[in-house]
Each structure stands twice: as C-alpha cells, then as structure tokens.
C-alpha cells in the first residue's frame, strides 16, 4: 500500500514542483528516492557533481558511492530524521524520510556540490588509487569545489527536516482527499511556504537583533497564512507571565502588556502546551482576554484565532498566534504548518536568549580583564612603554603587567592562558593575583 501510494505521488507533476522548491532552498537536487524496503523509485544520475560522475564511472567507485547512500538510508530508518554526512568522494551527502501518518514510506537523498572538507591532492590521489582513474583528471574535476562549513551543514539538516515535515502534511492531505493539486495549490501554497521556511533559517543565521528578527518573522507569517495579525509572546518563567515581544497586526501599545499563564486563549495554550484552534472567537468564552477587552481592540473584532505553543528542548518558551478579522476555517495544513514554524521559532528564541546571556557574561568578564591590566603604564626614563591586547575572541586570556621592583628594576610579565573566553579571563585574574602576592 505505502509503495503504491509513493509511486502515485512521484508520478504526479506536482512532485517535481516540490523538488524544485527544495533545490532552490538548499542549492542541491534530490538524486534518488527509494521505498521503505529499499526499492529504487526515482533516480537522476546525470545530476551528480562532475567529480562524483567520474568516480561512479568505475565499478569500485559506484559500489562505494552506493554504500554511502545505503548508510544514510539505514540511518534515516533508524532515527526517522534527516541525515547529513560525507560521501565516499568527499561531497556532502544527505537523506531525508518521506513520512505518512508517522510511518516512513520512503527515503529521498542526494549529493551537494560542496564538500565536507577541502578536497586536497591527497584526497584526489586516494580516489584515483581506489577507483583506478586518472589522478590528473580527478584533480581537474576537484578544482573549484568549495567545502561547506559545519554551521552550514547543520543549517542544511534543519532545512531538510522542515521539508520532510511539509511533505508529511502533504502526504496526509493527499491520502485523505485523494487529489494533491486540489488539497494544496502546489505552486501558490506549498512552494511559497517552503520558501518561507528557508527564509526563517536565513533570519536565524543573520546578524539581526532580537526585535528586528522576530518582527520580520511575524510579518512574513502574516503574509504567508493570509491573516490579519501574527504575534509572538515569550514566557517569563518566574512571573508566569507572557510578554508580547513582536506583532504585525496588533496595536503597538500591547507590547508593554503581559498576560498571565492561563489567561485567555494565549494563556491557555501556554498552560496546556497544546494548540488551540478557534474558528469563531466571538462565541468562545476563552477569547475574552485582555486584548479583546480594550476599547482600541473592540474596533477589531477578531473572528478566528490559531494559537500554538513555542517549545524548545521540552521547555515552553512562549506562544505564537495568528488572528483573522473574518471567520476562517483553519485547515489541518494551516495548523500543521504553524506548528512546524513554532518549533523552529522556539529554537531561534531559545538560541538568542542564550546568546544574550552569554553576551552579558562576556561583557562582565571584559570589564574585569581591563581593570586587571596596568593603567596607566609606569614611566621609565629613557624608554617609551606601550601595550595593547587584541583578543581573538570577545574575551581572551592574554595578560601583561609591569611591576616596579627594588633598585629601580622593572619586572615585565607577558602571558597567554590556554583557551579563550570567560574561563581564560578568570584564570588570568588568578595569575595576576598570585604574581602580585609574590612581588609586593
């Protein structure tokens, strides 16, 4: 049943639009698809990178290449999650599950045109020897191949996870309704939503500050879901309150307000950690929260609301909700799509909260470090004395001191604590204390 269903999906012209959307997001095509039993369902050998094609021309190279794919296939089956790992030829290989109703019905995979690490002369020689191919031609085809940093490999894996989630929604809709194109207009909805998920990743990797990033996200969600308001609340655990941190559609004055956990729809979502879907908010008593009770907001009679918890590593970090002024019957695809977004927005919020905490710690460490260094430097007749520290990290473990000693002598200390960051700065402070204890 699952194999025939997968075969039917892959024969649909809309599947190619799905693949095109993914290729645009990750800059790499899907090269193969197999069923859960391992039967080949689709292939695109001609789209492998040039170096891969050369390697695959030999029987040994083809065997090792296929073994790399099989390893990722088995890992996807074991974990149920996308896998990114090194191919035999050195390129970034990937595989992702195709899931319907919680069961893996197939696995799709490919090979990125970038490598896990720089392809060196040594690597080319190894490929040449293993596959009995010309080393010069191997080196020629390896020219211009750029490697993919680990942070980008991680981003690739996250994009694949998003795509896998979207395909799962699509499969379920197609299975229930039976007409893929009627369920979701692929060109107008799916491709647009996948593109948006890719934009979320780019925002997460950008240098935008907290407020600008979340406001960008709310504005784009509002547009993609065709609603009148999108808002993100973060949880203040100690006070058990939700603060509106970003919105597109609600009055800006609400940014200073807080909701108690359990208050209104948004508060109940935080309390239960379960999404709430309201098609007609005017007849739902849960919607009588502080937002709808204000004079300003009464002019906006919200008819529909979809609210989803933001959970990162099993910790509630906030709530995201979207609202419409006109009645809106939320589809399963809408709720699942917002849930996927919520998972990744929660990760962004958690990461940024951690980054801000680290930034505060580093600022404190930097202050301590500057106070421990000699200022001003001692004046020595006949000499110009100057010193500067430029740490590789925000805070380093570099240390210098000039200590006046008996008989007009001057002790000069230059040290570099192994490591970087706040730990190195603290160790440096301890060394400074010991030095002063022995010299004074």
């Amino acid at each position: 049943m699952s194999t025939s269903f997968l075969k039917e999906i892959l024969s649909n012209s809309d599947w190619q639009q799905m693949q095109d959307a993914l290729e645009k997001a990750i800059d790499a095509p899907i090269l193969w698809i197999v069923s859960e039993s391992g039967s080949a369902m689709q292939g695109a050998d001609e789209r492998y990178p040039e170096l891969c094609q050369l390697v695959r021309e030999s029987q040994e190279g083809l065997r090792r290449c296929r073994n790399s794919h099989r390893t990722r296939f088995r890992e996807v089956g074991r974990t149920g999650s996308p896998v990114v790992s090194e191919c035999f030829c050195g390129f970034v290989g990937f595989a992702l599950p195709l899931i319907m109703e919680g069961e893996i019905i197939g696995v799709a995979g490919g090979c990125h045109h970038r490598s896990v690490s720089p392809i060196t002369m040594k690597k080319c020689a190894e490929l040449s020897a293993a596959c009995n191919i010309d080393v010069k031609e191997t080196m020629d085809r390896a020219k211009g191949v750029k490697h993919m940093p680990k942070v980008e490999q991680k981003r690739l894996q996250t994009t694949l996870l998003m795509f896998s989630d979207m395909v799962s929604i699509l499969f379920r809709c197609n299975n229930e309704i039976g007409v893929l194109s009627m369920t979701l207009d692929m060109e107008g909805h799916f491709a647009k939503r996948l593109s948006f998920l890719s934009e979320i990743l780019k925002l997460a990797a950008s240098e935008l500050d907290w407020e600008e990033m979340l406001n960008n996200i709310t504005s784009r969600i509002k547009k993609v879901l065709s609603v009148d308001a999108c808002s993100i609340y973060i949880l203040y655990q100690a006070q058990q309150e939700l603060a509106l941190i970003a919105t597109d559609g609600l009055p800006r004055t609400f940014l200073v307000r807080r909701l108690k956990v359990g208050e209104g729809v948004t508060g109940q979502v935080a309390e239960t950690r379960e999404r709430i879907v309201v098609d007609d908010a005017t007849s739902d008593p849960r919607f009588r929260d502080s937002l709808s009770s204000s004079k300003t907001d009464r002019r906006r009679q919200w008819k529909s609301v979809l609210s989803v918890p933001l959970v990162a590593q099993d910790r509630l970090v906030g709530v995201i909700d979207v609202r419409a002024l006109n009645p809106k019957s939320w589809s399963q695809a809408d709720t699942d799509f917002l849930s996927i977004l919520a998972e990744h927005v929660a990760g962004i919020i958690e990461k940024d909260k951690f980054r801000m905490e680290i930034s505060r710690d580093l600022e404190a460490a930097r202050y301590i470090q500057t106070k421990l260094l000699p200022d001003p430097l001692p004046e020595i007749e006949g000499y110009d004395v100057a010193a500067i520290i430029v740490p590789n990290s925000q805070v380093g473990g570099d240390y210098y001191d000039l200590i006046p000693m008996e008989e007009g002598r001057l002790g000069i200390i230059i040290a570099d604590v192994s490591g970087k960051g706040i730990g190195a700065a603290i160790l440096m402070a301890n060394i400074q204390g010991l030095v002063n204890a022995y010299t004074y």
Side-chain angles (χ1 to χ4, degrees), residues 49-64:
E50 286 189 4
L51 178 58
C52 287
Q53 291 187 32
L54 177 65
V55 169
R56 288 167 61 88
E57 286 176 3
S58 73
Q59 289 188 351
E60 180 62 16
L62 182 61
R63 183 186 71 81
R64 295 200 186 194

Side-chain angles (χ1 to χ4, degrees), residues 14-248:
D14 290 330
W15 172 251
Q16 185 57 52
Q17 294 180 3
M18 294 171 66
Q19 292 188 100
D20 290 344
L22 177 64
E23 182 172 353
K24 184 177 179 181
I26 67 172
D27 193 25
I30 289 176
L31 299 176
W32 53 267
I33 299 173
V34 297
S35 67
E36 82 283 0
S37 62
S39 301
M41 306 292 288
Q42 180 177 305
D45 290 356
E46 73 283 356
R47 300 202 65 191
Y48 277 87
E50 286 189 4
L51 178 58
C52 287
Q53 291 187 32
L54 177 65
V55 169
R56 288 167 61 88
E57 286 176 3
S58 73
Q59 289 188 351
E60 180 62 16
L62 182 61
R63 183 186 71 81
R64 295 200 186 194
C65 180
R66 287 175 173 173
N67 283 343
S68 294
H69 293 327
R70 290 193 188 99
T71 299
R72 281 185 287 277
F73 169 79
R74 289 193 292 268
E75 185 67 11
V76 167
R78 186 181 68 82
T79 64
S81 299
V83 173
V84 175
S85 62
E86 186 174 9
C87 285
F88 163 66
C89 54
F91 287 87
V92 175
F94 62 88
L96 65 147
L98 304 177
I99 300 173
M100 184 179 70
E101 297 179 351
E103 296 294 329
I104 297 176
I105 65 171
V107 177
C111 182
H112 204 282
H113 61 83
R114 297 171 69 181
S115 60
V116 171
S117 56
I119 298 182
T120 61
M121 292 179 61
K122 181 180 178 182
K123 177 66 176 178
C124 289
E126 290 174 353
L127 291 174
S128 177
C131 303
N132 194 27
I133 53 180
D134 183 67
V135 67
K136 185 179 183 301
E137 187 175 2
T138 304
M139 292 174 63
D140 286 342
R141 296 204 186 189
K143 286 179 181 178
V145 174
K146 297 180 179 179
H147 83 281
M148 182 183 293
K150 288 190 179 297
V151 64
E152 292 188 32
Q153 294 177 40
K154 183 66 176 177
R155 199 176 304 149
L156 169 62
Q157 190 167 19
T158 305
T159 304
L160 294 172
L161 177 60
M162 288 180 173
F163 182 80
S164 181
D165 288 342
M166 290 294 291
V167 170
S168 179
I169 295 172
L170 214 60
F171 281 3
R172 184 174 63 248
C173 292
N174 186 62
N175 192 42
E176 291 173 355
I177 298 177
V179 183
L180 186 60
S181 297
M182 291 178 61
T183 303
L184 283 177
D185 172 10
M186 291 297 300
E187 193 169 2
H189 287 76
F190 180 83
K192 182 169 68 174
R193 292 184 178 190
L194 182 62
S195 176
F196 172 72
L197 291 172
S198 179
E199 289 178 14
I200 290 289
L201 285 180
K202 291 176 182 176
L203 283 173
S206 70
E207 296 300 320
L208 295 177
D209 62 29
W210 170 279
E211 183 177 355
E212 189 176 0
M213 181 184 296
L214 295 185
N215 279 324
N216 264 285
I217 289 172
T218 54
S219 295
R220 296 184 191 196
I221 291 175
K222 176 184 172 183
K223 182 178 180 180
V224 169
L225 288 179
S226 300
V227 293
D228 299 295
C230 176
S231 306
I232 295 175
Y233 301 78
I234 61 170
L235 174 68
Y236 285 86
Q237 186 69 43
Q239 294 82 14
Q240 283 294 285
E241 291 179 338
L242 294 164
L244 181 62
I245 188 103
T247 185
D248 186 342

Side-chain angles (χ1 to χ4, degrees), residues 188-326:
H189 287 76
F190 180 83
K192 182 169 68 174
R193 292 184 178 190
L194 182 62
S195 176
F196 172 72
L197 291 172
S198 179
E199 289 178 14
I200 290 289
L201 285 180
K202 291 176 182 176
L203 283 173
S206 70
E207 296 300 320
L208 295 177
D209 62 29
W210 170 279
E211 183 177 355
E212 189 176 0
M213 181 184 296
L214 295 185
N215 279 324
N216 264 285
I217 289 172
T218 54
S219 295
R220 296 184 191 196
I221 291 175
K222 176 184 172 183
K223 182 178 180 180
V224 169
L225 288 179
S226 300
V227 293
D228 299 295
C230 176
S231 306
I232 295 175
Y233 301 78
I234 61 170
L235 174 68
Y236 285 86
Q237 186 69 43
Q239 294 82 14
Q240 283 294 285
E241 291 179 338
L242 294 164
L244 181 62
I245 188 103
T247 185
D248 186 342
L250 294 183
R252 305 297 294 177
T253 53
F254 290 166
L255 290 171
V256 299
R257 300 188 180 189
R258 292 193 179 189
L259 292 173
K260 288 290 184 183
V261 170
E263 181 182 353
V265 170
T266 307
Q268 285 198 23
V269 169
E271 185 174 52
T272 63
R273 292 195 183 191
E274 294 182 358
R275 65 190 182 193
I276 290 179
V277 183
V278 180
D279 292 330
D280 186 1
T282 58
S283 62
D284 195 314
R286 296 173 302 180
F287 201 69
R288 295 170 189 161
D289 57 24
S290 60
L291 295 180
S292 59
S293 64
S294 71
K295 291 182 180 179
T296 302
D297 207 43
R298 272 203 295 269
R299 291 195 292 269
R300 289 175 167 239
Q301 293 294 324
W302 302 109
K303 297 297 193 300
S304 303
V305 63
L306 172 58
S307 193
V308 176
L310 299 172
V311 179
Q313 297 179 349
D314 202 35
R315 293 194 301 272
L316 180 74
V317 299
V319 175
I320 183 170
D321 75 32
V322 292
R323 304 180 180 212
L325 291 168
N326 297 315

Side-chain angles (χ1 to χ4, degrees), residues 392-409:
N392 184 50
S393 181
Q394 287 179 295
V395 178
D398 299 314
Y399 168 57
Y400 67 85
D401 207 346
L402 293 93
I403 304 174
M405 303 180 71
E406 296 177 350
E407 300 178 358
R409 293 181 299 167

